[in-house]
Amino acid sequence: MTDESPELRASDADRERVAERLREAVAEGRLDMEEFQERLDATYKARTYGELAPVTRDLPDASAPSAVPARASSTGTGAWAERIGGAGTSSRGVAIMSGFSRKGVWTVPRRFNCFAFWGGGEVDLREARFEAPEVVVNCVAIMGGVDVIVPPGVEVVVRGIGVMGGFEERLGDDLPERGAPRVIVTGFAFWGGVGVKRKVTRAQKRQLKEERRRGELE
């Protein structure tokens, strides 16, 4: 993969290596978010090495796609820079003798309020973006329950109060990753509960299994 063969078709792995170098450049302060987004769009649209090479040409050790080092991530979360920023897409969840769910790709606002009365709710942050480096998930559960699911690497602080109910943490020993957002879970539980747990997505589970399998074969 050099400038001498710019017409050769690039693979998905080539594009991912360049995308990862761009994420590292944001974390290093070499690119701002606007530049990052423009270059990331160009990366995923690129079909040949000739189209990929200019994306990282002005970054250290990135004169061609082959020069961009791949960085392994056991969780698949990688760098966080591209997941922080933008306006929140949902500000509340309400379950009154019913349920609500916020999951998949969405943007968590600076403060997300949820209320469950004789019902249940789910706030899943595993594939979410974050409006700010620190967000608050405020949960009120009255004879109901709310589950907050966070991905590995995120810093979590739980400050809720329970009366004949409580806040349960199942976060494990996972350490915060550099640049990861901080999630503060707060609120009130009366005859109800708020559960905070850390989980990976199914896709990340498959990736972990594949990484372990490759490690066993090497």
Side-chain angles (χ1 to χ4, degrees):
M1 291 187 291
T2 68
D3 290 339
E4 297 177 357
S5 54
E7 73 285 353
L8 293 182
R9 303 285 288 192
S11 67
D12 287 342
D14 296 324
R15 284 183 281 272
E16 284 301 325
R17 282 194 289 271
V18 173
E20 184 63 22
R21 182 65 190 100
L22 294 177
R23 296 182 186 108
E24 292 176 344
V26 171
E28 294 162 357
R30 301 181 191 279
L31 297 176
D32 60 30
M33 287 305 298
E34 184 177 352
E35 292 174 312
F36 167 75
Q37 192 59 56
E38 290 176 354
R39 296 193 189 202
L40 191 66
D41 290 343
T43 297
Y44 287 119
K45 290 177 182 176
R47 293 291 177 267
T48 66
Y49 293 149
E51 294 173 345
L52 271 182
V55 176
T56 55
R57 193 183 301 278
D58 60 347
L59 298 176
D61 300 322
S63 60
S66 60
V68 180
R71 184 176 65 183
S73 174
S74 61
T75 64
T77 55
W80 287 94
E82 76 279 9
R83 290 181 63 177
I84 299 177
T89 55
S90 179
S91 62
R92 67 180 63 87
V94 178
I96 300 177
M97 293 184 286
S98 61
F100 75 83
S101 179
R102 296 292 183 274
K103 63 181 179 179
V105 180
W106 65 295
T107 301
V108 186
R110 293 175 184 271
R111 184 180 180 89
F112 181 83
N113 295 306
C114 51
F115 176 75
F117 174 71
W118 279 17
E122 179 185 60
V123 183
D124 190 336
L125 310 182
R126 289 176 293 177
E127 297 179 275
R129 293 178 55 86
F130 299 83
E131 182 177 350
E134 180 176 290
V135 299
V136 175
V137 179
N138 182 58
C139 305
V140 176
I142 300 176
M143 292 181 285
V146 177
D147 285 328
V148 181
I149 305 172
V150 299
V154 169
E155 180 184 358
V156 182
V157 178
V158 180
R159 298 175 178 168
I161 299 172
V163 176
M164 291 184 286
F167 282 67
E168 180 184 5
E169 303 176 40
R170 287 184 289 171
L171 299 172
D173 298 325
D174 187 66
L175 296 176
E177 295 178 1
R178 185 181 65 177
R182 187 173 190 243
V183 177
I184 299 175
V185 181
T186 186
F188 177 71
F190 176 72
W191 279 17
V194 176
V196 186
K197 52 189 173 182
R198 198 184 304 276
K199 293 175 62 177
V200 298
T201 64
R202 291 181 179 178
Q204 290 166 351
K205 285 182 180 179
R206 289 194 294 269
Q207 180 181 342
L208 286 169
K209 289 181 179 179
E210 180 61 23
E211 289 177 355
R212 284 196 293 266
R213 187 186 67 82
R214 287 200 299 264
E216 292 172 355
L217 292 175
E218 291 176 353

